[in-house]
Amino acid sequence: MPDIHNNDTGVDKPLHAWLVYNSFNTWKKFTQLYDWLIDAAKSHNIELVPLLGTDVSPSIDACNHGTVFDELDSGRRPDFVIFWDKDITLCEYLQALGIRCMNTAEAIEACDDKGRTFARLSAHGIRQPRTFIVPLSFHKIDWNGFFDGDDIVNDDPDEEAAYQRSAASARAFIEHVEKRGGGYPLVVKTCKGSFGSGVYLANNRKELLNKLTELSPNGTIVQQFVSKTVGTDVRVQVVGGKAVAAMRRTAKDGDFRANITNGGTAKGITPTDEQAALAVSAANALGLDFAGVDLLDGDDGKPVVCEVNSNAHFVNLYNACGVNVADAIMEYAYDECREPQIRYANRAFA
């Protein structure tokens, strides 16, 4: 097969790629991860250029003139982008320019909203705790008020009737959650949140209503509390459709969240075949190139998906099991983005 990069030496020209990361997540916890990705890229024949989101911020005029790579010092179009951010609009802009982004905007968006994650996984038959998406509201809602009785809240009969319809609907929703969710405690989660933030335990109806009122009108879900292994979960790192590393996390005393950021500890493990297969299926269902999939031990002994993280922080995983996920990501990215060039070469020199 002819070498389309450098026919004289027989050595492939390195791929040129960007690492796009958030302009405001630049403290050490994150920059260490970016450094690992850059170092791994070098060993896989990739020139990975780190760029802040502000470096490639879209600027489009009425005639759609200009592109982000024309405005950069190098002026070079990347072969691909490792998009380590949650700026969906920016990622979509890069994709609109025909740039391969890992992960894609669509996949990141599906992971960044826990309600959407649940809906997408459900459509693919992925095992999850029983989950309820709290109905959308456009303004602050007092969930407690719906259970305080049938007192008149408005002198206008039409307004009062509308309120009572809303109250009846809200009460029916809560009663459905209590019945189908397996009873209290229940887990309440904001649809947006990372590192264990926005995750709460409601031990009774009052706590549930208080938390829903507090979080309103933000997107929220309520989940069945999986009690078999309280305060522990398994994080499986998936890259390119393969489970490449895993760890079991254990919460600190008094916390049911196993996130290491919240004081939990971790130990490297070899995932069971069932855990690995479920994690891969979840990542594939969401269209992810790489992901950290959090699994719980279901009450029936089978794993269930708790959450899926599009850009999972993998430094703690390395500390637990010694696997540098950056290497797996860069090896996968090189193979993925070199293939189109190889196919072109075969056509051109056949």
Side-chain angles (χ1 to χ4, degrees):
M1 181 185 69
D3 179 2
I4 66 171
H5 299 296
N6 189 325
N7 289 328
D8 294 331
T9 65
V11 178
D12 284 353
K13 180 180 178 181
L15 295 182
H16 176 64
W18 294 350
L19 168 63
V20 176
Y21 61 98
N22 190 275
S23 302
F24 311 105
N25 279 353
T26 56
W27 53 90
K28 185 176 180 180
K29 177 185 178 77
F30 293 95
T31 57
Q32 180 182 11
L33 182 147
Y34 307 147
D35 289 342
W36 286 13
L37 287 166
I38 293 167
D39 289 342
K42 293 175 183 177
S43 66
H44 290 283
N45 206 23
I46 299 169
E47 297 172 343
L48 187 63
V49 179
L51 293 170
L52 296 170
T54 46
D55 294 330
V56 291
S57 180
S59 178
I60 310 168
D61 63 23
C63 297
N64 196 33
H65 291 154
T67 58
V68 289
F69 37 85
D70 288 339
E71 298 169 2
L72 295 176
D73 290 339
S74 70
R76 293 181 63 188
R77 182 189 183 93
D79 294 303
F80 65 91
V81 168
I82 298 295
F83 197 84
W84 212 272
D85 198 357
K86 295 184 178 182
D87 191 333
I88 304 302
T89 303
L90 175 56
C91 192
E92 287 183 337
Y93 177 66
L94 296 176
Q95 290 175 185
L97 296 176
I99 300 172
R100 170 75 159 92
C101 291
M102 304 180 191
N103 287 301
T104 66
E106 296 79 10
I108 295 170
E109 187 173 34
C111 285
D112 199 33
D113 185 307
K114 294 181 177 65
R116 290 186 176 185
T117 302
F118 162 74
R120 184 75 62 85
L121 295 181
S122 294
H124 287 80
I126 305 297
R127 284 173 49 88
Q128 304 171 83
R130 192 175 296 277
T131 303
F132 308 88
I133 300 175
V134 178
L136 173 69
S137 63
F138 295 100
H139 52 83
K140 187 76 174 177
I141 295 295
D142 178 10
W143 284 84
N144 290 286
F146 295 140
F147 287 83
D148 285 345
D150 297 326
D151 295 337
I152 298 296
V153 297
N154 196 302
D155 292 335
D156 185 317
D158 290 337
E159 290 291 335
E160 173 61 17
Y163 176 83
Q164 294 302 339
R165 284 195 299 271
S166 296
S169 178
R171 289 194 293 268
F173 172 75
I174 294 298
E175 290 165 0
H176 174 73
V177 169
E178 291 173 333
K179 180 179 179 181
R180 299 285 291 166
Y184 292 98
L186 291 166
V187 179
V188 182
K189 297 181 180 179
T190 56
C191 287
K192 305 280 188 177
S194 301
F195 300 108
S197 65
V199 180
Y200 311 94
L201 201 62
N203 293 292
N204 50 56
R205 177 181 285 183
K206 181 178 180 180
E207 290 185 5
L208 176 61
L209 297 178
N210 286 343
K211 187 55 65 175
L212 293 182
T213 298
E214 175 190 331
L215 299 177
S216 169
N218 297 313
T220 310
I221 63 173
V222 180
Q223 283 188 322
Q224 168 194 8
F225 181 68
V226 180
S227 60
K228 183 176 177 61
T229 50
V230 177
T232 181
D233 67 9
V234 170
R235 162 69 61 85
V236 180
Q237 188 74 34
V238 176
V239 179
K242 299 178 182 178
V244 299
M247 62 180 173
R248 180 171 286 278
R249 303 183 299 185
T250 303
K252 67 179 181 180
D253 291 345
D255 200 340
F256 72 99
R257 301 166 301 173
N259 304 76
I260 296 174
T261 301
N262 295 320
T265 58
K267 179 180 180 181
I269 64 168
T270 299
T272 66
D273 291 344
E274 194 169 20
Q275 288 171 333
L278 181 61
V280 169
S281 294
N284 289 344
L286 294 165
L288 291 157
D289 295 292
F290 46 82
V293 182
D294 297 342
L295 306 177
L296 301 175
D297 300 320
D299 292 336
D300 60 358
K302 296 182 178 181
V304 296
V305 175
C306 177
E307 292 184 11
V308 183
N309 306 273
S310 59
N311 293 344
H313 203 278
F314 52 74
V315 173
N316 289 329
L317 183 64
Y318 173 80
N319 293 335
C321 64
V323 176
N324 187 349
V325 175
D327 286 325
I329 290 174
M330 288 305 156
E331 181 178 4
Y332 166 76
Y334 183 83
D335 290 342
E336 278 287 295
C337 295
R338 185 170 176 265
E339 281 301 312
Q341 297 174 346
I342 293 175
R343 288 194 292 272
Y344 173 81
N346 289 337
R347 291 196 303 270
F349 296 93

